[in-house]
Amino acid sequence: MKKIILSIMALATVSAAYAQFGGRGQGNPTVPSVTENVTEDFKPALNNQSGHQYPMVNSQRMVRAQISAPNATSVGLDIDGKIYSMTKNENGVWTGTSAPQDEGFHYYQLNIDGASVPDPGSLYYYGASRWGSGIEVPSGDQDFWQVKNVPQGSMNEVYYWSTVTQAMRHCYIYFPNEYYTNTTKKFPVLYLMHGMGENEHGWAEQGHTAQIMDNLIAEKKAVPFIIVIDCLDARAAQPAQPAAAPQGGQRQGGQRQGGFGGFGGFGMGGAFQDVLIKDIIPMVEKNYRVIADTEHRAMAGLSMGGMTTHSVTLANPTTFAYVGMFSGGTFNTGELENNADFKKTNKALFMSCGGKENMGVMEAAENLKKIGINATGYISEGTAHEWHTWRRSLYQFVQLCFK
Amino acid sequence: MKKIILSIMALATVSAAYAQFGGRGQGNPTVPSVTENVTEDFKPALNNQSGHQYPMVNSQRMVRAQISAPNATSVGLDIDGKIYSMTKNENGVWTGTSAPQDEGFHYYQLNIDGASVPDPGSLYYYGASRWGSGIEVPSGDQDFWQVKNVPQGSMNEVYYWSTVTQAMRHCYIYFPNEYYTNTTKKFPVLYLMHGMGENEHGWAEQGHTAQIMDNLIAEKKAVPFIIVIDCLDARAAQPAQPAAAPQGGQRQGGQRQGGFGGFGGFGMGGAFQDVLIKDIIPMVEKNYRVIADTEHRAMAGLSMGGMTTHSVTLANPTTFAYVGMFSGGTFNTGELENNADFKKTNKALFMSCGGKENMGVMEAAENLKKIGINATGYISEGTAHEWHTWRRSLYQFVQLCFK
């Protein structure tokens, strides 16, 4: 019963966070642009398109957007579940400022006379079930995911045939620098999953997985290992795709087009579990220099990917030795105390969430330790159900793996 | 003199093609949406975002865009140098149809009450000096760049330190499938360059380099080799970047943000040549299993990248054995007839352009053959200064390499 209640709590938290984005802005309330007590030290966001001054962020973490739309009658900045009305100057340029945002990465968009569109000033990311704008709000600890002049691994795009979906699938595989320099060594593997409304691009792009690993390996805080970043969408090829589309899509198609937008049941176990166990792990262990045993296999995920990790590792208790749930709820003692296979196999169990979420991860870790699980809880201070929580969670989790 | 005239012709062609896009729509003429003699067999474009019916293309290769903008007074489809006026229905949804487009890939955008923005229905690409919308207009021969169930290589994102720019730089490196399966074999390398207003993402994404190679290798029409896709922008780190930005940018920064938008002189030789010779080639030959000699080194590029290939290979006549210029003009006999180093080194010289361009590639190839160069001319029928010309050119060129 407790297990069910915890699962429902996690589901509700995730759904609330998703709803907050407002499904591409429809239905988000319109509020005035912030004009009082604004510190005028705005700087271009870290991830603007080249040559673009806007969007900007100030030291209060307010976001200011700007766009030329001389004939528009209303333009809004749609971020964090609100649309901030922008105002037009004599040149037809609209400007608006949001309330302070949490540290880290946020999806957003502009609304021009009722049309929700990407901001031409930003780079584009897959999340909230669409490719669209994202903005980096500087954080005090962002150094850990920056590109530095340390030995570089690489983030590799790979297609493979899925026997389960009968189509080509697309994933990212991170190889540490040593994979290329030490050509006989075999490496452990982490299977790392995204959240609802996202796909495999999340961890590769806004997640900065390669930088987090390269930097930690250079500091000798993590051992070198491979990270496979796949997509929870395990539906068979869609008949609704255009007639001319190849099965599995072209390079930018497949899951790049797709992304898994809802709770169809197949995300949390089901068809995805089949793809993982029957297609992804065998493909990785066949094609690459991998230590193909339980002790050198880990699984983790954020939000719905954490819930999937929960269900897959419970259903396959001797497959993964390291398990991470980021903003995905918790394991509880009832699930594990009589699960001899899981307890014997597991080397580390990590559960995290943002400080603005309430997922009971610290209490759950304490309870799991009492039944002999090497459990760790982690709370990302000051962040909610969002990417900075997950970057920090990955940073913590990978330091526990394969040691 | 002839050389100078040819160079100016090539420059003018490239500039005209670039100007046609209209620098993000400013100044493009507005024309009525096409309504006469339209065949109503529109299908979603191959590269739409998941679940999006629009944009669509019909069998006449007309593009139809649609967007909900209930409060807008004018919405246009900005493609191929024209803005097609869209019309609004009773639900506030705007629809418009372009004249027939060439086969293949095209950049485009929407204009909403004067704001030029990406279409939320499309995927986004770097070109025309911005990240924005692109659309695939089906072509009769598009099979050659589709993802197929053949042994897959991978397209890898790599950062490296540049001694020339004193910053981290970002490139893509394609490894053929055999790089992973045959872990002692060494491979030849092609250095492949983008055009003006583009960056290294072009060949990796809209260029479909990995698919073109994987498919040709599977058919035994190309030998397996590595392709390094870098960026012509060799400017030092920009002081105008935000204060908090790491040198070289985060993973999505650097050249992803940037892209080289103009003729600064450093694209065609100069600083980029320094980066290529001093940083890129040594990095590749140090870090990967590469046959590090002239006979196993090729250079090619499209448009400005072709002109850069021209100047770099003339300035370094004993460095590359295979040379390709796609829509970048031609080599002429005056440059090569007394160039003993180039003639001795070169194994194949390939020059191509679209059938709607007039770059004299066939005549140039005939003339070069007369002075003992193994020259090949190729014309992409029915296409202009655009990506389908360059995909086809790559398909032809790589079959000549390292044989």
Side-chain angles (χ1 to χ4, degrees), chain A residues 29-40:
Chain A
T30 299
V31 298
S33 181
V34 175
T35 54
E36 309 245 317
N37 300 315
V38 177
T39 303
E40 289 298 331

Side-chain angles (χ1 to χ4, degrees), chain A residues 148-153 177 214-215 218:
Chain A
K148 297 179 189 176
N149 187 10
V150 298
Q152 295 285 312
N177 180 270
D214 288 345
N215 294 340

Side-chain angles (χ1 to χ4, degrees), chain B residues 83-115:
Chain B
I83 300 178
Y84 294 90
S85 291
M86 296 164 71
T87 54
K88 183 160 85 163
N89 73 7
E90 65 279 12
N91 299 318
V93 174
W94 297 75
T95 307
T97 307
S98 80
Q101 303 295 310
D102 290 346
E103 294 185 317
F105 177 90
H106 304 276
Y107 302 116
Y108 78 104
Q109 62 197 339
L110 299 181
N111 188 289
I112 303 174
D113 283 343

